[in-house]
Amino acid sequence: MCGIFGYVGKKNTAAEIVLEGLKLLEYRGYDSWGVTVKSGKKLVVDKHVGKIGDAKVKLPKSTIGIGHTRWATHGGVTVANAHPHLDCTKTVAVIHNGIIENFEELKTDLIKKGHKFLSETDTEVVPHLIEQYLKKAGFASAVRDAFNQLKGLNAIVVAYAPSQEIVAAKTGSPLVVGIGKNEFFVASDAAGILKHTRNMLFLGDNEMVILGPSADGLQLLSLPSGKKKKPVFETIDWKIEDVDKGKFDYFMLKEIYEQPKVIRNIAQTYTDQITSLAKAIEQANGTFFIGAGTAFHACLAGTYLFSTIAHTHVNTAVASEFNYLEDFLTNKSLIIALSQSGETIDVIEPLHRAKQKGSKVVAVTNVLGSSIYRLSDHKLLLGAGPEKAVASTKAYIAKLSVMILLAYSLANKFDHGKKLLLAAADEVGRLLQEANLKGIKKLALQLRSVEHIYTIGRGLSFATALESSLKIKEVSYIHTEGLAGGELKHGTIA
Ligand code: GLU
């Protein structure tokens, strides 16, 4: 994972715009970062190791810039390996998210052709490939030809010194284009762009976009062919305050405090969506919940809720294991995929195969236009607003709220479910009052020096035991295991 941000427009503060965008994407990768702007017929690059933090860039005024915050997969954390990467002529700059599976063959071939590599990354093959294709084609065609050579799930954004345009292409990793007035933004997620515009184009897999500094400066193309496509724009309803920490020290804390609002929103406004999803479940022959990490715990909680409230059987699987259970799928099966980001690859892969079997897919996700949202037949947005902290809180609560309402809807007791959720929202608010936090803080102080923590629970609390274990591990780095209460005696005590 990494953060990508690009700008093309009329403003001459591209470097600052890109840097500000990268700061919002830092949760996606933070070992190193870099920005490139076009200055006259040249590209100027500034790269650093470490987090962006409050960094400023010293780059010339420019109307075109691209930047990247890295989470290394190939090559150590060094300035040379930080993106953007350039070709031999220093006129092509590339930022990249993903892994180029065939980069070794491509690199060997390019070295034979005389290209000089300065980094250990897989990414650097891209500018050199583009340089190669530029000998015979224009900028956009050269990017297309180069991108078509790459194997794996990738997203790239490219700037070229002689050009007024930037080009972006993707096969797997997310890319969103923000449509401004005579200007465009391209980023790994919509939250990075929100400050500038809410009008977005979510790029699909095998799509490429050419962006120039005018109102009609956007061209969308299909890959590998390069055939023109009509873009479908969407307006995102997130607010700018949603991507600001406000009075909180951390995004995670802010998001914890947003939970009552998230629960209330689902209780009060989801009647139609829940009713129609409940109908789809009733009509299906076999319903499967799939998710990874926290989302899987919400799936597991859903299984218990469906059993106790709706007396309805559903199957739950860790998404990455679902491949091995697909023999059960038919064109009557319903797969309900839970994913905050809508981009979890372990969830996306089995969904493609389920669709091949004719099964219907439901996305329960927080991100409009995300890959899972796009490939699903039935879509339910969690409405939790952007979740910036890697450790999910409000989106988990939103998934549980959806599960509760669904279960009560299936039991023909929707209004009762709604009442319970509204009461839960009040209770979460009460729990977060300063007086009640004292006990939690005291307990945390006692636990901070322990080596191992075991969280246990039965029934619905088993899901909470697993989720609290995940959360403690992720945030404190203390070894924690979540267990079904009855399992504690099997090995754990020893
Ligand atoms: N594979 C590339 C690298 O290691 C990109 C990693 C990323 O997505 O941040 O530089």
Side-chain angles (χ1 to χ4, degrees):
M1 205 155 94
C2 79
I4 278 182
F5 199 97
Y7 172 79
V8 55
K10 301 275 189 214
K11 296 189 185 108
N12 68 1
T13 50
E16 289 74 21
I17 294 172
V18 169
L19 188 69
E20 195 184 27
L22 289 182
K23 287 180 183 170
L24 290 169
L25 294 169
E26 206 175 20
Y27 74 95
R28 297 181 57 86
Y30 40 81
D31 62 34
S32 52
W33 61 278
V35 178
T36 294
V37 295
K38 171 178 146 78
S39 175
K41 290 251 159 82
K42 276 196 176 143
L43 296 176
V44 189
V45 187
D46 190 8
K47 305 206 277 192
H48 302 265
V49 161
K51 286 189 173 193
I52 301 186
D54 296 325
K56 298 206 166 39
V57 271
K58 276 205 198 107
L59 285 167
K61 293 273 168 234
S62 174
T63 54
I64 292 184
I66 61 173
H68 184 270
T69 171
R70 181 174 185 236
W71 193 243
T73 67
H74 291 67
V77 179
T78 62
V79 171
N81 289 339
H83 302 211
H85 289 283
L86 302 181
D87 68 324
C88 299
T89 68
K90 310 270 181 265
T91 57
V92 179
V94 174
I95 50 177
H96 165 228
N97 178 195
I99 292 172
I100 300 165
E101 285 164 11
N102 57 337
F103 88 98
E104 273 161 338
E105 307 151 46
L106 294 170
K107 190 167 171 173
T108 311
D109 189 51
L110 285 160
I111 289 172
K112 271 194 210 137
K113 290 189 170 117
H115 292 264
K116 297 255 173 324
F117 279 74
L118 303 178
S119 80
E120 303 146 351
T121 62
D122 49 342
T123 307
E124 202 188 344
V125 297
V126 188
H128 292 285
L129 265 180
I130 296 172
E131 177 188 357
Q132 200 60 32
Y133 283 112
L134 274 167
K135 292 180 181 156
K136 289 192 228 120
F139 173 40
S141 303
V143 174
R144 192 190 75 214
D145 292 340
F147 193 74
N148 284 343
Q149 296 278 306
L150 311 182
K151 294 211 174 105
L153 302 173
N154 296 294
I156 60 164
V157 180
V158 190
Y160 179 43
S163 173
Q164 293 302 329
E165 293 171 329
I166 59 174
V167 177
K170 76 161 227 139
T171 41
S173 308
L175 272 187
V176 187
V177 178
I179 323 302
K181 214 173 163 200
N182 299 322
E183 61 183 2
F184 295 96
F185 308 83
V186 56
S188 305
D189 81 23
I193 303 176
L194 206 56
K195 186 184 164 206
H196 305 281
T197 175
R198 299 210 330 237
N199 193 10
M200 311 274 175
L201 169 68
F202 294 92
L203 288 192
D205 286 343
N206 301 310
E207 285 184 351
M208 175 172 134
V209 72
I210 306 169
L211 305 169
S214 66
D216 58 356
L218 182 151
Q219 294 172 62
L220 180 68
L221 311 176
S222 262
L223 291 175
S225 68
K227 232 173 101 191
K228 280 204 176 154
K229 264 181 121 164
K230 198 171 160 348
V232 180
F233 302 108
E234 300 198 58
T235 307
I236 196 155
D237 66 358
W238 290 353
K239 296 183 207 69
I240 298 168
E241 310 86 84
D242 291 345
V243 289
D244 192 273
K245 284 204 291 274
K247 62 177 183 181
F248 294 95
D249 289 336
Y250 306 99
F251 275 111
M252 188 170 163
L253 264 183
K254 177 182 181 243
E255 289 160 7
I256 287 172
Y257 276 86
E258 284 171 352
Q259 291 176 120
K261 190 176 83 185
V262 169
I263 303 172
R264 255 178 230 119
N265 175 43
I266 291 175
Q268 285 161 343
T269 65
Y270 276 47
T271 317
D272 294 347
Q273 305 192 54
I274 295 287
T275 318
S276 85
L277 183 50
K279 208 171 271 161
I281 295 172
E282 274 164 355
Q283 283 163 0
N285 191 354
T287 299
F288 298 78
F289 288 146
I290 65 167
T294 291
F296 168 68
H297 301 151
C299 294
L300 189 64
T303 319
Y304 284 102
L305 289 163
F306 273 47
S307 163
T308 52
I309 298 164
H311 308 302
T312 302
H313 172 246
V314 283
N315 306 277
T316 287
V318 171
S320 56
E321 290 294 310
F322 195 52
N323 295 344
Y324 309 105
L325 299 168
E326 276 174 5
D327 292 338
F328 296 121
L329 299 183
T330 69
N331 58 5
K332 300 259 175 352
S333 313
L334 184 71
I335 324 295
I336 304 185
L338 275 67
S339 165
Q340 189 284 126
S341 65
E343 298 293 348
T344 317
I345 197 70
D346 286 338
V347 181
I348 296 173
E349 278 174 353
L351 291 184
H352 280 301
R353 280 189 293 271
K355 285 195 79 148
Q356 277 163 14
K357 294 200 163 187
S359 309
K360 287 272 176 294
V361 169
V362 179
V364 177
T365 176
N366 199 29
V367 182
L368 174 80
S370 56
S371 302
I372 295 175
Y373 179 89
R374 295 163 71 97
L375 64 80
S376 298
D377 305 291
H378 195 113
K379 304 161 205 297
L380 195 146
L381 282 172
L382 292 168
E387 189 170 65
K388 308 287 290 174
V390 174
S392 179
T393 53
K394 60 176 179 173
Y396 179 63
I397 288 294
K399 288 175 198 139
L400 293 184
S401 305
V402 165
M403 288 295 189
I404 290 169
L405 272 193
L406 260 179
Y408 278 102
S409 181
L410 284 163
N412 282 323
K413 291 183 188 161
F414 182 89
D415 287 341
H416 183 66
K418 181 173 165 178
K419 221 168 95 192
L420 286 178
L421 272 191
L422 290 171
D426 292 344
E427 280 302 293
V428 176
R430 192 188 57 78
L431 189 68
L432 292 172
Q433 282 166 9
E434 203 44 49
N436 295 322
L437 293 180
K438 279 201 189 118
I440 297 176
K441 286 181 182 164
K442 203 168 141 206
L443 182 60
L445 283 175
Q446 281 168 16
L447 292 179
R448 67 190 288 179
S449 51
V450 304
E451 239 177 285
H452 310 283
I453 297 176
Y454 297 88
T455 52
I456 61 171
R458 286 180 192 261
L460 199 50
S461 296
F462 172 37
T464 306
L466 293 177
E467 176 56 11
S468 52
S469 146
L470 187 157
K471 210 99 298 171
I472 297 169
K473 270 187 271 200
E474 239 172 8
V475 179
S476 71
Y477 284 54
I478 296 175
H479 165 243
T480 313
E481 276 182 52
L483 296 160
E487 290 292 280
L488 191 66
K489 54 190 170 293
H490 299 295
T492 314
I493 290 170

